[in-house]
Amino acid sequence: MLKINNLYAKVEGNEILKGINIEIKKGEVHAIMGPNGSGKSTLANVLAGHKNYEVTKGEIIFEGQNFLELSIEDRAKEGIFLAFQYPIEIPGISNYTFLKTALSEIRKKNSLEELDSKEFMEMLKEKMKILNMDEAFIQRSVNQGFSGGEKKRNEILQLLMLNPKLALLDETDSGLDIDALKIVSNGVNVFRNENNAVLAVTHYQRLLNYIVPDFVHVLSKGKIIRSGGKELALELEEKGYDWIKE
Amino acid sequence: MDKDKIKDFYLHQIEMFGNSNVNSLLKDIRDSAYDDFKSSTFPTKKNEDWKYTDVTPLLLKKFSRIDGVIDNINLDNFYFNNFPNNLIVFVDGIFSQSLSKFENDNFIIENLANLSFQNQELLKKYFSDFLSKKNIFTLMNAVFVNDGLFIFIPDNTNIDIPLQILYLNGKSKNALITPKNYFYIGKNSSLRIIVNNKSFNNHLYFANDYFDVMLDKNSKLDFYNIQNENAFHYSYTKFLMNFDSKLTHFSISLDGKFIRNDIVSELNGENIECNLNGLYLAKSDNLVDNHTEIIHSKPNSMSNEIYKGIMTDKSHGVFNGKIFVSPNAQKTNSFQSNKNILLSKNAKVDTKPQLEIFADDVKCSHGATVGTLDEQAKFYIKSRGISEKVAEKMLLKAFACEIIEKINIKEIQKHLSKEISNLVIDKNNSEI
């Protein structure tokens, strides 16, 4: 599904990614772990197409297509979804309008008809139930005044509604208490199936207790310095990142 | 045209047309302003009230007063048509009986040129000084006045359907349009007014209008002033508010070559609520200048002012918000905010809050911002598959919604949303 080959990227002139190689096949869950400043969030933003991140070398191939040539919105339409570490508050745009607009764009791309209001609301309510979200959120402005946990649940709600091929989770566990973490993780597990994939970027192992990875990659100073199975995450949790840097 | 000679041009016009065929009210108004007009000069940028706005383009053109009613016009596209039977029409500032549709016996509504003697007396009783603010433009409006509207709502009268006053301007070439309006809202009464200024065609004109509005005790007024023109426009509005009254004003400028609005609200009682809202969309090389002044002269009242502007192309926005709290206006609550978005690097805005507070037990706050569309928000929206263009329109609507949501007339809300959707963002200049 996704192939990242020898990827180098800069932010404000500083080289953050220095030759990343990852391959993700459908049905797989990959975790990228690493200390602060290792380049985890940069990788997530580069994949989504943020213009402040400049790719200087390498390639990203998604479903056989050169992703670097695509705009942010076209990448989303191709089936990539970034759950933000810090979801943006947008006063004045309701969750309803936001999700309905996004869903119709994505359905249009997939030659599907736009859902009418009733179908859309049914789908939305069903997904909100999974995330234990109050229906009052539908009319509220996107993320405005939401608590940290509510924002993360709102990200996963969007994930479930837009149903992409690849979900990028950027520190989705940060700022969540254990109950919220369970709800959010459950949302991601509901999303998962044999035809899609998850790339979770996380500092801590605890998210991976709930979203169990098939592969764990350790990122340090812009390079993947070790890859392994889920047991690698446990080992990291026990011994810390210093252990692996040596 | 030499701009220093322009006043002679206008004075000459006054001499030529004289006062012979107007009623005594119009004659009195003209006479009350003539001497002051003669001795005034047009402002320059050295004048504090005009430091951001250059009136030279206005002074380089010659505008002339026009006579006679024009009423062979198809109005279809010009007014908000949800209330077709509550429509007062002026063409180039002159009342048109045949285009207006209005049935009423609850209150007085008459144009100044045809005002009955009895109603002239009534007007003079409530608006004894015809001109509460004297600057060269309000004086010019007075010396040239040839029509306008008098509305008198008696006590205890609630008018449900909004009253639309359509000022359809520019039917004649180079018209000088000088209506003067006096509105009185009686005790415990309420009214909604839409003043809808529209250009008839591409003829350049100078509209110089004046609204003198009194809100008596416990009255309520919603006032929408919508400017959608391609011309010069100076507008002066004065509110005098009595105890327990509530004003909600909207100053909406959608298009206009040169717009200057002066709005003064005098809170002359306790428990008054004064809401001034503004939304201005400036395009091409438009200038939109909003000057407001809120005067708290008694305790326990509240004012709430929010002005928002979106500037594109080479346009220029100006906001100057004065709030004056007199020494005995304790427990005043006053809030002011002016926010601007620039959509082009050639657009600019000058914003100046001006608070003069002479009481010590008050709550006053103000803030002004100038920015561009939030790039992170745009990234977030686009990352959900929404195109750049749609993302930008969503963000502009979101910016304006604080004002639009307060509007309680659906047709106006829709109209504004559409205007915002039609704004063109200058792609080459979006990086500021």
Side-chain angles (χ1 to χ4, degrees), chain A residues 131-150:
Chain A
L131 294 160
N132 203 10
M133 284 175 85
D134 192 310
E135 284 177 14
F137 280 94
I138 297 172
Q139 289 309 330
R140 283 178 61 180
S141 289
V142 177
N143 294 324
Q144 193 189 17
F146 289 22
S147 71
E150 287 165 349

Side-chain angles (χ1 to χ4, degrees), chain A residues 45 48 50-51 72-73 76-77 81-82 84 88 90-93 98 101-102 105-106 142-143 155 158 162, chain B residues 374-391 394-395 397-399 401 405 431:
Chain A
N45 278 295
H50 196 299
K51 68 174 182 184
I72 300 161
E73 58 270 33
K77 285 183 196 164
F81 178 92
L82 172 62
F84 280 55
I88 311 294
I90 316 176
I93 300 177
F98 184 56
T101 310
E105 290 288 328
I106 284 168
V142 177
N143 294 324
E155 293 295 285
Q158 294 172 21
L162 302 181
Chain B
D374 184 344
E375 286 298 324
Q376 269 305 106
K378 214 154 92 179
F379 173 58
Y380 187 70
I381 297 171
K382 284 159 74 181
S383 78
R384 272 45 177 154
I386 297 169
S387 72
E388 168 116 4
K389 219 173 146 186
V390 174
M394 284 175 98
L395 286 170
K397 273 190 194 168
F399 174 75
C401 86
E405 276 176 357
E431 304 287 330

Side-chain angles (χ1 to χ4, degrees), chain B residues 282-299:
Chain B
K283 301 154 200 164
S284 63
D285 58 353
N286 294 172
L287 166 85
V288 184
D289 177 349
N290 282 298
H291 269 60
T292 66
E293 195 176 336
I294 297 170
I295 301 157
H296 286 268
S297 48
K298 296 259 167 37

Side-chain angles (χ1 to χ4, degrees), chain B residues 237-355:
Chain B
T237 306
K238 152 83 184 291
F239 296 101
L240 182 61
M241 302 182 68
N242 211 324
F243 283 74
D244 304 306
S245 59
K246 179 178 174 183
L247 166 71
T248 305
H249 184 264
F250 292 86
S251 178
I252 296 165
S253 305
L254 302 174
D255 210 352
K257 190 179 174 59
F258 174 108
I259 294 176
R260 164 67 177 248
N261 295 315
D262 279 333
I263 294 171
V264 178
S265 196
E266 251 184 82
L267 283 59
N268 200 16
E270 297 192 33
N271 301 314
I272 290 171
E273 183 182 334
C274 171
N275 302 299
L276 299 187
N277 303 293
L279 180 65
Y280 43 102
L281 314 180
K283 301 154 200 164
S284 63
D285 58 353
N286 294 172
L287 166 85
V288 184
D289 177 349
N290 282 298
H291 269 60
T292 66
E293 195 176 336
I294 297 170
I295 301 157
H296 286 268
S297 48
K298 296 259 167 37
N300 298 315
S301 283
M302 180 177 104
S303 62
N304 193 352
E305 179 173 27
I306 304 175
Y307 268 66
K308 288 194 153 186
I310 301 171
M311 264 65 58
T312 66
D313 306 321
K314 294 176 185 165
S315 64
H316 180 195
V318 178
F319 174 81
N320 187 120
K322 220 181 262 184
I323 292 171
F324 183 88
V325 181
S326 79
N328 69 337
Q330 298 293 3
K331 307 280 183 194
T332 286
N333 219 327
S334 179
F335 170 84
Q336 182 192 78
S337 153
N338 173 234
K339 291 182 180 159
N340 298 281
I341 286 188
L342 301 179
L343 293 180
S344 150
K345 69 176 177 190
N346 296 317
K348 68 170 178 171
V349 66
D350 292 293
T351 173
K352 186 179 162 200
Q354 209 179 328
L355 276 63

